[in-house]
Amino acid sequence: MRIAMVTDYYLPTLGGVQTVIKAHREALEHAGHEVFVFAPLAEPSRDPHIVRLPTARGFAPDGYPFTWTPTAAATALRDGLSARGIEIVHVHTEMFAALAGFEAARALGIPIVQTMHGRIDVYTRSVLPLPSVTTALLAAMHRRRLSHDRARIDSTAAYAKTRMAQRMWRLMVSQANHADQVIVPSAHFAAKLVAQGVQTPLTVLSNGLESSVLDRVGSPTPRIVTPDEELRVVWCGRLSPEKRPQVFVDALRQSPGVRAEMFGDGVARRAVAAAAVDLPPGRLTVHGGVPQSQVLDGMRQAHVLVSTSLDFDNQPMVILEAIASGLPVIVTDPDLAEMLPDGGGIVTATPDADGLTRALRALRDDPAAVRSMSTAAISHREHVSQDTHRDALIDVYRAALSLAR
């Protein structure tokens, strides 16, 4: 099977979507399929299976290369898909590369699979300048290329009460309804999409880690915290308001005996630095944006991973990486509990810094619990492998192909 992955961001930029696509590609290629990735890039790739879409010059919102113009991207995709004999187009985002993917695939009669990776209603509200204006512009530009007539948004839902949120939910639901099959990595996000009117056949299919990542992690042993040792904690992700990195810093301030590292960069980098200015030396190291390999090395040295995002994340890849590394996981969002191995994670009693502080102190004071949770994570490793989910992904592709016939 010849598959095109179409995305608005890809390597070498960092992020969960990029990691998912990389894992999909590796697993599918190991199974004998050929995968091409079409994305905007700051510069052309030496990999012949990564195809650069027309990319804006001097404009990279939140640090990501940006597809421009939509018409040029659609033309490039139409030519690229046709030349490579693509049988399935798998779209991973919702902006202009994605829209070009829909336009090109429809013109060529190629079935489309859409993965809904996350809550762009929260992301745009948190990251874009003047979000009330920019979300309106984005929605209007999206609607010009992909009809929103099939979206019926339930504005009574707590997450869809504002006009900004409704615009973005209408965008997400519309795009899903224009696909032939939809993949959602988590049950909690899938339930929201169905409640908001997604009618396309939908499969809840967990993300997974490629075998090369699992090989790099190796065979972890249960974490042991010795009596004279600090609890070593890692936080990994985009430094952006929707990820709530300052909640982590505030909890760290209230948790003596805990030492932390943060991996990631973004618009909240200065806010994090300001929040951490009064911490004792050595309590927190902020590494910025680093390759996945360095994140995995950091996890290897840690006792616990913390996720502070709330009402935003779908299925964070860093949690899968932590589980593969044998790390206990603390989350502040109850929706993410479905990711945690039985006995391998904690959902804080409250999602604020106080709730996280209590969870950190409890593990700091109970080394046996750290070891027990780590053992549970290690026993769950095979469930986070992309190979475990590869056949189900191929089944979705076959279902899309059968509908197109």
Side-chain angles (χ1 to χ4, degrees):
M1 195 181 304
R2 286 176 164 246
I3 302 148
M5 304 273 180
V6 180
T7 173
D8 285 274
Y9 25 84
Y10 191 56
L11 305 174
T13 63
L14 303 176
V17 173
Q18 297 91 313
T19 306
V20 171
I21 297 170
K22 179 173 174 281
H24 280 347
R25 179 184 172 188
E26 184 176 303
L28 289 164
E29 288 178 342
H30 283 174
H33 304 282
E34 191 167 13
V35 181
F36 296 88
V37 180
F38 292 80
L41 302 170
E43 57 186 35
S45 172
R46 295 181 180 180
D47 184 339
H49 283 77
I50 299 176
V51 183
R52 184 177 188 257
L53 293 177
T55 304
R57 295 182 179 180
F59 181 60
D62 207 18
Y64 294 110
F66 186 76
T67 303
W68 193 258
T69 64
T71 299
T75 299
L77 263 167
R78 195 162 53 245
D79 294 344
L81 299 178
S82 180
R84 292 165 178 83
I86 297 298
E87 299 166 81
I88 284 282
V89 170
H90 187 168
V91 178
H92 287 268
T93 46
E94 292 87 11
M95 292 295 105
F96 294 129
L99 292 174
F102 271 81
E103 186 172 331
R106 288 288 179 249
L108 296 170
I110 302 172
I112 301 170
V113 173
Q114 170 77 47
T115 292
M116 305 301 294
H117 282 286
R119 295 276 302 279
I120 65 168
D121 58 317
V122 180
Y123 177 78
T124 52
R125 183 187 71 212
S126 302
V127 172
L128 293 182
L130 299 173
S132 60
V133 176
T134 49
T135 55
L137 289 172
L138 280 174
M141 295 175 77
H142 190 280
R143 188 169 57 245
R144 285 182 61 187
R145 308 194 80 88
L146 205 63
S147 167
H148 288 192
D149 293 345
R150 298 167 66 185
R152 298 291 181 269
I153 301 304
D154 176 11
S155 60
T156 65
Y159 52 83
K161 288 185 179 296
T162 69
R163 292 182 67 183
M164 271 196 310
Q166 290 162 25
R167 287 187 198 115
M168 294 297 100
W169 274 101
R170 189 170 289 109
L171 185 156
M172 288 187 282
V173 170
S174 297
Q175 188 155 319
N177 279 337
H178 280 280
D180 297 294
Q181 295 281 327
V182 171
I183 294 172
V184 186
S186 68
H188 67 86
F189 190 33
K192 289 182 176 70
L193 288 165
V194 171
Q196 291 300 332
V198 170
Q199 298 175 337
T200 300
L202 184 152
T203 300
V204 176
L205 177 59
S206 175
N207 292 323
L209 302 176
E210 61 269 47
S211 56
S212 60
V213 170
L214 296 174
D215 290 344
R216 183 176 181 88
V217 169
S219 299
T221 56
R223 298 303 197 273
I224 297 175
V225 185
T226 60
D228 59 346
E229 192 176 17
E230 292 179 307
L231 185 72
R232 296 192 300 272
V233 180
V234 290
W235 186 103
C236 309
R238 188 173 56 251
L239 293 182
S240 192
E242 73 280 2
K243 297 282 190 176
R244 305 196 310 152
Q246 287 166 269
V247 170
F248 179 66
V249 177
D250 291 343
L252 183 62
R253 184 181 295 106
Q254 302 173 58
S255 306
V258 176
R259 179 161 54 88
E261 294 184 89
M262 298 182 78
F263 296 90
D265 208 346
V267 296
R269 178 73 181 265
R270 290 184 179 179
V272 167
V277 71
D278 61 344
L279 288 173
R283 286 286 303 285
L284 174 65
T285 302
V286 182
H287 293 278
V290 298
Q292 184 187 36
S293 59
Q294 190 172 335
V295 173
L296 296 175
D297 290 341
M299 288 183 178
R300 187 177 295 111
Q301 302 302 318
H303 297 125
V304 182
L305 174 95
V306 168
S307 168
T308 48
S309 110
L310 181 66
D311 195 31
F312 169 69
D313 270 318
N314 186 354
Q315 190 190 50
M317 294 298 288
V318 294
I319 293 181
L320 300 183
E321 291 166 352
I323 293 167
S325 301
L327 275 184
V329 177
I330 300 174
V331 300
T332 58
D333 187 343
D335 279 346
L336 299 183
E338 68 178 271
M339 292 186 67
L340 304 180
D342 187 19
I346 295 173
V347 181
T348 59
T350 58
D352 54 14
D354 288 341
L356 179 55
T357 298
R358 290 196 293 273
L360 287 171
R361 288 180 173 181
L363 287 184
R364 177 201 62 192
D365 297 339
D366 189 358
V370 174
R371 180 166 187 160
S372 174
M373 293 170 65
S374 177
T375 300
I378 292 169
S379 68
H380 195 74
R381 287 187 85 222
E382 68 178 62
H383 297 286
V384 302
S385 167
Q386 181 63 55
D387 287 344
T388 302
H389 310 292
R390 181 194 61 214
D391 290 346
L393 175 63
I394 294 170
D395 284 345
V396 174
Y397 292 161
R398 287 175 175 151
L401 284 165
S402 67
L403 288 174
R405 292 192 181 105

